[in-house]
Amino acid sequence: MFEYNQFIHSYFKLYKRYGDVLLARLFYQDIKSWSQKNHFDVVTYIPASQSHFQIRGFDPVYELYADIFDLKLLLKKNDADKPQAQKNRSERLKTPQTFLPLPELMKIQKNQRILILDDIYTTGRTLMHAYDIFLRAGFKNICTFSLSR
């Protein structure tokens, strides 16, 4: 939705690193407007790993979208060797699969239109790992959305 620039960088620094959860509402109207023009049967999101959730006290991707979409938690994210933000492009692209499907995923009809939400698209590795879980589970109509790239 937005180009990654200095403003977005500063926004995510305050939002994620310093835990200003109220900033989740900053782009509410923009995201809401997009959501009204696009329909999906199931909307899920890139979840925070348990360690990141404990550090922040909230899940940043969930908070960005929870007031707009009926979010379904369908993936579990295991901790990686280090956070994506601390990796360069080459390291990000080599990141192994960190997601596991939750049992709820298997209860969804395979012909449903799926949307996977994330906050920042840098190399696309995170969304591609999530996409792969859905593809391997038999889904064919999978879309992704990120606030910034």
Side-chain angles (χ1 to χ4, degrees), residues 23-107:
L23 286 173
R25 303 276 301 155
L26 184 64
F27 297 106
Y28 174 87
Q29 201 55 51
D30 297 297
I31 299 167
K32 182 73 173 173
S33 177
W34 183 88
S35 75
Q36 292 169 338
K37 297 173 190 167
N38 298 275
H39 173 73
F40 299 90
D41 300 308
V42 177
V43 182
T44 190
Y45 61 99
I46 300 297
S49 66
Q50 188 61 34
S51 66
H52 277 142
F53 184 84
Q54 288 176 343
I55 290 167
R56 289 188 182 112
F58 68 99
D59 185 321
V61 178
Y62 176 84
E63 293 296 335
L64 271 176
Y65 302 109
D67 290 340
I68 299 165
F69 297 98
D70 178 21
L71 297 176
K72 307 286 186 230
L73 180 59
L74 301 173
L75 302 171
K76 177 184 183 216
K77 185 173 185 182
N78 292 322
D79 285 317
D81 53 347
K82 64 181 177 180
Q84 289 288 86
Q86 295 176 9
K87 295 179 182 179
N88 63 35
R89 179 174 176 75
S90 177
E91 291 172 320
R92 286 174 189 235
L93 290 171
K94 293 176 185 171
T95 302
Q97 177 64 271
T98 57
F99 295 108
L100 295 171
L102 292 175
E104 291 79 1
L105 181 65
M106 302 322 291
K107 297 175 186 173

Side-chain angles (χ1 to χ4, degrees), residues 40 110-115 131 139-143:
F40 299 90
K110 304 299 185 229
N111 64 344
Q112 302 251 14
R113 189 165 185 219
I114 308 291
L115 176 64
Y131 183 93
F139 294 91
K140 305 251 186 286
N141 197 346
I142 310 161
C143 300

